[in-house]
């Protein structure tokens, strides 16, 4: 038996939050000086979405089913927009890393800072109703997930775009 949980049935704070995050993120990307090739740009933009989808469909669906996205426990059309919310973060994560010229040890605190920011954004998402935790899930459980995702994100960027190919 798969009962649908309805958290909300109006267009309100959670939808406006998602729209605001997408618009502000894309505007930020638009005004920043260009640092990447088109391939690198697409990689950084899409990586956030891909990681969001992977983890949403790993821990956010049965058998784990630790949280729901949006107004209902089943997926709705607007939930697709919530994945677009991740687009700017993937880009900005790599952009700032490259802009600061971080290497070696400095990568560790950078990932830790982004993990804390990610938990903060997730907390805001909880407050406005974008996410709804279930089955005892807590925000602290997201910390190792963010540490892992961001480490893999940087690793993949370095594998696919070694320094000598970046034209910097």
């Amino acid at each position: 038996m798969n009962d649908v949980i309805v958290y909300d049935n109006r267009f309100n704070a959670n939808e406006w939050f998602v729209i605001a995050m997408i618009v502000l993120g894309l505007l930020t990307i638009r005004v920043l000086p260009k640092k990447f090739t088109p391939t690198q740009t697409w990689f950084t933009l899409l990586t956030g979405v891909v990681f969001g989808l992977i983890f949403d469909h790993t821990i956010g669906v049965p058998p784990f089913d630790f949280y729901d996205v949006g107004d209902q426990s089943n997926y709705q059309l607007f939930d697709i927009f919530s994945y677009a919310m991740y687009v700017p973060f993937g880009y900005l994560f790599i952009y700032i890393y490259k802009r600061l010229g971080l290497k070696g040890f400095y990568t560790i605190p950078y990932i830790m800072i982004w993990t804390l920011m990610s938990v903060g954004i997730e907390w805001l998402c909880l407050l406005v109703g974008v996410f709804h935790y279930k089955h005892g899930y807590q925000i602290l459980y997201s910390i190792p997930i963010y540490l892992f995702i961001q480490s893999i994100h940087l690793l993949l960027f370095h594998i696919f775009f070694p320094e000598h190919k970046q034209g910097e």
Side-chain angles (χ1 to χ4, degrees), residues 39-55 83 86-94 148-157 160-161:
T39 303
Q40 291 169 328
T41 299
W42 281 107
F43 175 87
T44 59
L45 293 172
L46 294 176
T47 304
V49 174
V50 169
F51 285 147
L53 284 167
I54 289 170
F55 279 91
Y83 293 115
Y86 297 118
V87 168
F89 290 105
Y91 182 88
L92 292 171
F93 177 69
I94 298 293
F148 176 74
I149 288 171
Q150 292 161 356
S151 298
I152 294 298
H153 192 170
L154 276 178
L155 177 66
L156 289 174
F157 188 82
F160 292 127
F161 308 105

Side-chain angles (χ1 to χ4, degrees), residues 29-79:
I29 291 168
R30 180 83 173 140
V31 300
L32 288 173
K34 304 304 174 237
K35 186 154 186 70
F36 301 124
T37 67
T39 303
Q40 291 169 328
T41 299
W42 281 107
F43 175 87
T44 59
L45 293 172
L46 294 176
T47 304
V49 174
V50 169
F51 285 147
L53 284 167
I54 289 170
F55 279 91
D56 273 357
H57 293 300
T58 300
I59 66 170
V61 298
F64 301 112
D65 201 19
F66 288 135
Y67 64 91
D68 292 325
V69 176
D71 291 342
Q72 296 184 13
S73 59
N74 61 346
Y75 280 95
Q76 297 179 297
L77 180 61
F78 196 85
D79 296 341

